[in-house]
Amino acid sequence: GVDVENYPGVDGSTGPFLVARMRRQAVRAGATLVADAAISVDLARSPFEIALNESGTRMHTLSMIIATGANSRWLGVPGEMQFRGQGVSSCATCDGFLYRGQHALVIGGGDTAMEEALVLARTCSHVTLVHRGTKLRASKTLAERVLAHTAISVLFSTVVEKFEGDDTGDDQRSDGGGGGGGGD
């Protein structure tokens, strides 16, 4: 993963490493970690009741952390859904290995786009960051790392209008210009 640089007290740690350390610390402090999906939560009385999906178990707790994860922001342009999983992805960490040695494109100007570009730059021959604005919205540290990286180039004031290719996922192209949506 990418180094975590926006969390107080953390210096030079990757996300997965930090999560593993947090889990170990929580267990040492007596926390119970459950790998299951909650299907309902009753917050009307204390202790709270949580109904779990897989096991059908009902848990009770005095406190709860609700972590819902992140949702990808899609552009909504022609070809995007057609080529999902065939060259169009929303997770460099998950799918980046598929593009080892190839040229990759990242769309956006915020922190997430910078992190994805930096992840892909480790294994791809080159990464082009496409941003509709004239300057990056990302944190100063991430933006500086992307702009200084020799394997990453940035196209400012450029919008992806569509994705084209055949059904094998080869030959995706993006056209700059007006229209289209905006990612991070």
Side-chain angles (χ1 to χ4, degrees), residues 42 70 81 164:
D42 182 357
M81 292 302 143
E164 296 178 336

Side-chain angles (χ1 to χ4, degrees), residues 38-84:
I39 56 173
S40 69
V41 178
D42 182 357
L43 303 174
R45 62 183 186 280
S46 185
F48 306 134
E49 183 177 88
I50 306 163
L52 301 178
N53 187 37
E54 297 267 333
S55 62
T57 303
R58 293 191 178 277
M59 296 182 67
H60 296 87
T61 185
L62 296 173
S63 60
M64 177 180 358
I65 298 172
I66 300 173
T68 59
N71 290 322
S72 300
R73 290 180 19 203
W74 296 95
L75 299 175
V77 298
E80 183 175 46
M81 292 302 143
Q82 176 186 354
F83 293 110
R84 258 169 116 176

